Amino acid sequence: MNMSPLLRSALPDDYSVIATWINNVQTCARWAGPQLPYPFSSADLPALLAKPQAQDLVLVDVNKHVIGFAQFWQRDQRRTHLGRIIVSPAARGLGYGRLLCEQLMRYAIAETGSLVLSLRVYRDNEGALHLYRQLGFVAVETDSNEEVLAMEYKV
């Protein structure tokens, strides 16, 4: 029996848990971008996060608690974008971010057949930057700005 955290499709009730992790305007904007209004209703979150062909996924621990969330969607014929990656504040620093990203990468590649995964990360988010580099993502400065670094992983 697999006792490690598992990635699965997000269910309607999961969004109320995720909503508790976003407690201010800055956290909201850094997680989901400036177009997501804050405050928001957890009931509205699935619609607010919706993107064409995006898949919403959650990482659940052995007790079936939601401890992470992420999305992916195809940017173009060869690239799939990973976005809105977040781990529960209570579960940070325990390796769940790595597990979430590793499973997300495998799932996105399997689902889309993409040869390139992309993501964006705030340059001052040292923990995430370190993780993404360890996972094989490299900076794409031509797609970046002063605040946000674009990164790509080639399959």
Side-chain angles (χ1 to χ4, degrees):
M1 189 166 143
N2 184 356
M3 295 301 287
S4 65
L6 192 65
L7 198 64
R8 66 159 168 78
S9 293
L11 302 172
D13 288 348
D14 297 333
Y15 294 95
S16 59
V17 175
I18 297 156
T20 66
W21 306 342
I22 311 301
N23 56 12
N24 62 54
V25 173
Q26 184 187 17
T27 300
C28 185
R30 286 177 66 99
W31 168 56
Q35 71 281 3
L36 186 74
Y38 183 87
F40 53 80
S41 155
S42 61
D44 294 336
L45 199 50
L48 291 170
L49 293 174
K51 285 187 163 291
Q53 280 86 52
Q55 292 199 39
D56 291 15
L57 302 166
V58 292
L59 188 69
V60 292
D61 67 13
V62 294
N63 299 312
K64 305 280 190 257
H65 296 127
V66 175
I67 55 172
F69 174 87
Q71 291 178 306
F72 70 87
W73 57 90
Q74 278 199 264
R75 281 179 64 179
D76 55 40
Q77 289 293 83
R78 56 184 272 283
R79 281 186 305 176
T80 293
H81 192 75
L82 311 181
R84 296 171 173 162
I85 300 167
I86 189 170
V87 171
S88 158
R92 290 181 188 156
L94 302 174
Y96 292 122
R98 174 178 297 281
L99 272 172
L100 173 61
C101 289
E102 288 171 347
Q103 291 187 36
L104 175 66
M105 290 168 70
R106 281 195 298 271
Y107 192 85
I109 291 164
E111 287 288 305
T112 65
S114 289
L115 300 176
V116 178
L117 299 177
S118 63
L119 56 77
R120 297 174 77 75
V121 59
Y122 280 87
R123 292 179 186 270
D124 64 1
N125 188 343
E126 292 176 17
L129 272 170
H130 180 72
L131 172 60
Y132 299 148
R133 286 185 180 122
Q134 283 188 325
L135 292 172
F137 283 86
V138 296
V140 182
E141 288 293 346
T142 54
D143 199 20
S144 303
N145 62 37
E146 199 174 285
E147 201 176 20
V148 177
L149 181 65
M151 301 185 86
E152 284 188 347
Y153 171 87
K154 290 186 170 56
V155 178

